[in-house]
């Protein structure tokens, strides 16, 4: 081959390579313009056949491949309805919110995207947040039908460390997006079990004021779901206000319920905020003095476990036995631990004669009196 032909071949090869590179760059630019201009219905056609292995190209292809099988509208339906009430959806339709094939494509897309979360466009952050929520909360947690402290902590950690950060990035670009504001804001409220007086009302309490402000913004922009969530918060606030008014009038039921609110808040802090426990005790003490049995029983639990106090526990336990015929078994244990087996036997016999749930335990305790040095479950106070 002549030198001229060799040069010509190399030149043609360079032109072909450059043409391919230019076409590839043009294809990527075309795909990115779709995201930039929010023409999301065109993502599949513009992005599915991209070539290359850069993070951005792999991200665009993963989204296109997902939307080729599961539409954005369908993803939103799975995400929205499932987040509202997955158990109801399962009962209403007698099936999962998603098919096995949909689950496969949703998992595949999520696994592809989570390797690269430095996304170029805000829309991808919003889509990823929804895909992550579906994969983590629905596929991993709700499907196993187990709710315990470990699962709840993992869910909270996911919401805090993955879900909310991506929503924030999206909202930085689109601060007036009503849906995204709602999705962020609803993380600032928490469902409360409806109180007995008005069981048809829904209640939510504010647990994070910073996030709750997003909900207020969404509602102010007219987003219906945010408005409905705000009503549930108003319901709760009105209910609390009514309890506080009744509590000031020494209504024993209101005092007990206010005490339970403080006590539950104490539990939610993982037993760290002792002020909440002290406030609960004050309210329970007031309620039990007015004759509220549940308040007395709750105090017994607190003085035996949360804030051990042998003297107070003993006094209230004797009051419970004398006033409500409740607690003979535990008073028997207390006498035994104090070295008075005769009095302990008397209490166990009374518990046994009453029948009910503790009668069997009382019978075992009577047998143990002659064999053990202390009650089977040990002594509360050393």
């Amino acid at each position: 081959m002549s030198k001229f032909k060799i040069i010509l071949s190399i030149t043609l090869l360079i032109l072909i390579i450059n043409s391919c590179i230019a076409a590839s760059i043009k294809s990527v630019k075309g795909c990115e313009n779709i995201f930039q201009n929010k023409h999301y219905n065109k993502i599949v056609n513009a992005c599915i056949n991209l070539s290359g292995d850069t993070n951005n190209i792999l991200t665009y292809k993963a989204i296109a491949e997902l939307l080729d099988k599961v539409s954005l509208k369908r993803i939103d339906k799975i995400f929205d309805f499932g987040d509202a009430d997955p158990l109801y959806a399962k009962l209403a339709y007698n099936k999962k919110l998603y098919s096995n094939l949909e689950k496969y494509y949703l998992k595949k897309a999520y696994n592809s995207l989570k390797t690269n979360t430095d996304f170029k466009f805000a829309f991808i952050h919003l889509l990823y947040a929804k895909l992550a929520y579906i994969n983590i909360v629905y596929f991993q947690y709700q499907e196993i039908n187990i709710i315990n402290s470990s699962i709840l902590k993992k869910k909270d950690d996911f919401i805090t460390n993955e879900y909310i950060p991506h929503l924030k990035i999206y909202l930085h670009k689109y601060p007036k997006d009503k849906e995204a504001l709602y999705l962020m804001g609803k993380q600032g409220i928490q469902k409360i079990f409806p109180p007995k007086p008005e069981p048809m009302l829904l209640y939510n309490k504010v647990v994070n004021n910073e996030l709750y402000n997003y909900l207020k913004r969404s509602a102010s922009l007219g987003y219906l779901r945010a408005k409905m969530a705000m009503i549930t918060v108003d319901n709760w606030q009105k209910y609390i206000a009514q309890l506080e008014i009744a509590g000031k009038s020494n209504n024993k039921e209101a005092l007990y319920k206010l005490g339970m609110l403080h006590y539950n808040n104490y539990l939610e802090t993982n037993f760290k905020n002792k002020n909440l426990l002290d406030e609960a005790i004050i309210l329970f003490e007031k309620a039990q003095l007015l004759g509220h049995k549940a308040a007395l029983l709750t105090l017994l639990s607190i003085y035996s476990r949360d804030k051990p106090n042998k003297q107070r526990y003993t006094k209230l336990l004797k009051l419970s036995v004398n006033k409500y015929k409740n607690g003979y078994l535990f008073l028997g244990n207390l006498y035994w631990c104090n070295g008075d087996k005769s009095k302990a036997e008397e209490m166990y016999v009374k518990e046994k004669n009453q029948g009910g749930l503790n009668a069997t335990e009382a019978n075992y305790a009577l047998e143990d009196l002659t064999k053990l040095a202390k009650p089977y479950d040990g002594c509360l106070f050393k």
Side-chain angles (χ1 to χ4, degrees):
M1 183 181 290
S2 68
K3 186 176 181 181
F4 173 76
K5 287 182 178 180
I6 292 173
I7 293 172
L8 182 60
S9 297
I10 292 173
T11 302
L12 287 172
L13 181 61
I14 291 171
L15 287 172
I16 292 170
I17 292 172
N18 287 338
S19 176
C20 290
I21 292 172
S24 177
I25 293 172
K26 185 177 180 182
S27 295
V28 173
K29 287 292 185 185
C31 172
E32 291 185 340
N33 285 338
I34 297 298
F35 285 101
Q36 187 74 49
N37 298 317
K38 300 198 287 188
H39 297 153
Y40 305 133
N41 59 323
K42 298 180 180 179
I43 289 175
V44 175
N45 289 335
C47 307
I48 200 166
N49 292 318
L50 293 179
S51 58
D53 58 1
T54 65
N55 284 335
N56 284 337
I57 288 175
L58 292 175
T59 294
Y60 305 149
K61 281 178 63 69
I63 293 172
E65 288 170 358
L66 169 64
L67 298 184
D68 186 42
K69 303 297 183 181
V70 187
S71 69
L72 277 176
K73 186 176 180 181
R74 178 62 182 153
I75 291 171
D76 281 340
K77 186 174 182 181
I78 293 170
F79 173 75
D80 292 338
F81 199 6
D83 190 39
D85 195 339
L87 294 177
Y88 171 76
K90 206 168 182 180
L91 290 172
Y93 296 98
N94 197 28
K95 63 178 183 181
K96 295 177 184 176
L97 291 167
Y98 38 81
S99 67
N100 288 335
L101 269 178
E102 286 174 325
K103 181 177 179 180
Y104 169 77
Y105 293 123
L106 289 164
K107 286 182 70 174
K108 181 182 177 184
Y110 171 65
N111 288 330
S112 296
L113 294 177
K114 72 179 180 181
T115 60
N116 168 39
T117 52
D118 184 21
F119 304 131
K120 191 172 181 179
F121 298 100
F123 164 76
I124 302 178
H125 286 279
L126 178 63
L127 178 62
Y128 179 78
K130 291 179 179 180
L131 290 178
Y133 198 96
I134 290 170
N135 274 270
I136 300 299
V137 178
Y138 300 171
F139 298 165
Q140 289 190 29
Y141 300 152
Q142 290 180 1
E143 281 193 356
I144 61 175
N145 290 323
I146 296 174
I147 298 178
N148 55 40
S149 58
S150 175
I151 293 294
L152 291 175
K153 185 180 184 308
K154 286 179 181 178
K155 181 181 175 181
D156 288 343
D157 289 344
F158 160 73
I159 296 292
T160 301
N161 300 323
E162 191 165 359
Y163 182 69
I164 286 177
H166 285 283
L167 288 179
K168 280 186 175 178
I169 294 171
Y170 176 80
L171 282 166
H172 183 72
K173 177 72 174 178
Y174 302 109
K176 292 186 178 180
D177 187 301
K178 294 182 284 188
E179 183 205 17
L181 286 168
Y182 164 74
L183 295 178
M184 181 79 85
K186 72 195 297 287
Q187 304 306 320
I189 60 177
Q190 178 178 297
K191 287 181 181 177
I192 300 294
F193 192 81
K196 291 180 181 178
E198 299 175 275
M200 298 307 293
L201 291 179
L202 296 176
Y203 296 84
N204 274 294
K205 72 173 180 179
V206 177
V207 293
N208 185 310
N209 280 302
E210 179 191 351
L211 295 177
Y212 178 57
N213 286 330
Y214 288 93
L215 188 68
K216 290 196 286 188
R217 266 187 270 164
S218 180
S220 70
L221 291 169
Y223 195 59
L224 181 59
R225 292 170 70 187
K227 287 182 176 181
M228 297 300 292
M230 291 290 291
I231 290 172
T232 67
V233 173
D234 287 342
N235 289 344
W236 181 246
Q237 291 172 343
K238 289 175 184 175
Y239 174 70
I240 297 302
Q242 291 169 356
L243 278 184
E244 288 175 344
I245 292 171
K248 288 176 182 177
S249 300
N250 284 330
N251 180 293
K252 63 182 181 182
E253 185 65 22
L255 289 167
Y256 169 70
K257 286 182 177 178
L258 286 168
M260 287 304 299
L261 286 175
H262 288 299
Y263 186 64
N264 286 331
N265 288 337
Y266 164 69
L267 296 181
E268 287 176 7
T269 67
N270 291 319
F271 313 98
K272 292 177 182 176
N273 191 334
K274 300 298 183 182
N275 289 333
L276 289 170
L277 177 61
D278 291 338
E279 289 168 5
I281 289 173
I282 291 170
L283 291 161
F284 289 140
E285 290 281 12
K286 288 181 179 179
Q288 73 85 11
L289 285 172
L290 293 167
H292 199 286
K293 182 179 177 181
L296 175 58
L297 297 179
T298 307
L299 282 170
L300 286 170
S301 174
I302 289 173
Y303 286 131
S304 66
R305 182 185 59 189
D306 300 295
K307 196 170 185 176
N309 185 321
K310 184 177 181 179
Q311 184 178 0
R312 194 74 188 123
Y313 176 80
T314 301
K315 184 176 179 180
L316 291 177
L317 186 55
K318 288 180 177 179
L319 176 64
S320 176
V321 165
N322 294 331
K323 194 170 184 178
Y324 303 112
K325 308 299 180 188
N326 185 86
Y328 285 116
L329 174 65
F330 305 106
L331 189 54
N333 290 344
L334 196 60
Y335 278 124
W336 187 356
C337 290
N338 288 336
D340 192 341
K341 286 192 172 184
S342 176
K343 202 68 175 169
E345 182 179 6
E346 180 186 335
M347 294 300 109
Y348 293 145
V349 169
K350 287 184 177 181
E351 186 72 75
K352 179 182 175 181
N353 291 340
Q354 277 197 146
L357 294 175
N358 288 327
T360 301
E361 290 297 321
N363 196 47
Y364 288 147
L366 285 168
E367 295 177 3
D368 292 342
L369 267 174
T370 60
K371 302 174 184 176
L372 303 179
K374 59 184 178 180
Y376 180 77
D377 291 327
C379 294
L380 285 173
F381 307 98
K382 304 300 182 184

